[in-house]
Amino acid sequence: MPDDPQHSSTPPIALFPTAPATPVRIVVADDNPVVRAGLTALLSGRPDITVVAEAADGREAYEAATLHHPDVVLLDVRMPGVDGISALPYLVPIAPVLMLTYSGEPETVREALRRGADGYLVHGEFTADQLASAVRDTARGRTHLTPTAAGALLTHLRDANAHAAPHLPLPAKPIPLKGLSQLQPSMAQSSSSDRSSFQLSAREAEIMDLIASGMTNQQIAAACFISEKTVKNHINRIFAKLHSTSRSEAAAKWLGTAPSPGRGVG
């Protein structure tokens, strides 16, 4: 006779995942009570996230963070009294801060990141699941940026690199017209055709541009809103297509500064 199901020693199968022993504890700071309530309801519905306090401005956020020591503070930018940007230096020593705001101005994004924000999300550019993932990742020390914020950061990095790059000297003598046909194409002229020979996808080309600009895997992941594992997978494919074993070698080939095969360096 088969065992009585009610007395079976086999443990029951969980139909729903159980919450972790220590859920991510967050403070939600926004001056709009409707937004605060919506965020609290949305995130509290996740089994691994708990909203421990709400705040209407930067001062209340600081008081709540001091009292509860949360894992993450969700912080709006524009609030009456003490705004989010002004509160950042006081909050970041207590907990990671994830900006969650309608303000997508490049200057605001850069100032928030400069003052220690661990991520920047602009309303309307993420789903509920992406918000929850961003909260979890921020608690783990990973950066999240939505497209507007990533674009502002990338523009800033490119501008900084452009100002830091040394200017190439002009030739001492003009090149004779008859000698032009014997010259190798310039980097700018050959860049497009040379790069097409690598047969990188649009995403791989985008990531290769970021590698060449000096960004780390974490920065690339944040700029492209993908995981670091996905970035590594793209880089492995890029290295294979560029026949390179390092970032510097791949960047040199991508930028056209690597020595041509068979030609020595003088």
Side-chain angles (χ1 to χ4, degrees):
M1 180 177 178
D3 292 338
D4 186 345
Q6 295 181 351
H7 297 88
S8 173
S9 60
T10 304
I13 299 175
L15 297 179
F16 300 98
T18 56
T22 55
V24 178
R25 303 167 66 254
I26 66 173
V27 168
V28 176
D30 194 296
D31 65 306
N32 188 323
V34 175
V35 173
R36 278 202 317 274
L39 291 172
T40 298
L42 173 66
L43 293 170
S44 295
R46 310 277 167 160
D48 59 341
I49 299 176
T50 299
V51 177
V52 296
E54 296 181 18
D57 65 7
R59 185 182 300 279
E60 289 186 12
Y62 173 74
E63 292 171 352
T66 302
L67 177 63
H68 295 282
H69 292 281
D71 299 303
V72 178
V73 175
L74 287 183
L75 186 65
D76 189 17
V77 169
R78 294 193 175 95
M79 295 182 288
V82 179
D83 61 66
I85 299 297
S86 300
L88 266 170
Y90 301 93
L91 290 169
V92 292
I94 302 174
V97 178
L98 178 61
M99 307 306 293
L100 184 59
T101 177
Y102 287 97
S103 306
E105 296 84 358
E107 297 79 9
T108 304
V109 175
R110 292 196 294 268
E111 186 63 16
L113 296 176
R114 188 185 72 81
R115 293 193 178 206
D118 291 83
Y120 200 108
L121 308 183
V122 178
H123 284 293
E125 297 185 350
F126 55 86
T127 65
D129 288 339
Q130 287 173 334
L131 173 59
S133 295
V135 168
R136 298 184 190 104
D137 284 347
T138 300
R140 301 185 186 111
R142 297 175 182 172
T143 302
H144 266 271
L145 304 172
T146 50
T148 295
L153 177 60
L154 186 56
T155 299
H156 175 68
L157 290 172
R158 285 173 174 167
D159 289 345
N161 287 339
H163 286 104
H167 295 289
L168 295 176
L170 293 173
K173 295 181 180 180
I175 300 172
L177 218 54
K178 62 181 180 181
L180 285 176
S181 61
Q182 300 172 2
L183 295 177
Q184 293 292 327
S186 68
M187 185 193 312
Q189 293 171 327
S190 62
S191 175
S192 177
S193 59
D194 288 348
R195 289 183 176 185
S196 64
S197 67
F198 296 132
Q199 297 184 337
L200 299 190
S201 68
R203 174 62 100 180
E204 289 167 351
E206 178 185 9
I207 290 176
M208 190 59 238
D209 278 333
L210 299 179
I211 292 173
S213 74
M215 291 178 69
T216 65
N217 286 3
Q218 184 180 18
Q219 291 170 329
I220 294 171
C224 298
F225 211 71
I226 57 179
S227 69
E228 287 187 59
K229 181 179 180 181
T230 301
V231 172
K232 291 177 182 177
N233 291 338
H234 280 303
I235 290 176
N236 287 336
R237 289 192 289 270
I238 290 169
F239 281 7
K241 291 180 179 180
L242 268 63
H243 303 289
S244 301
T245 58
S246 68
R247 298 170 87 91
S248 58
E249 183 182 0
K253 290 182 178 180
W254 185 246
L255 297 174
T257 58
S260 299
R263 293 179 59 190
V265 180

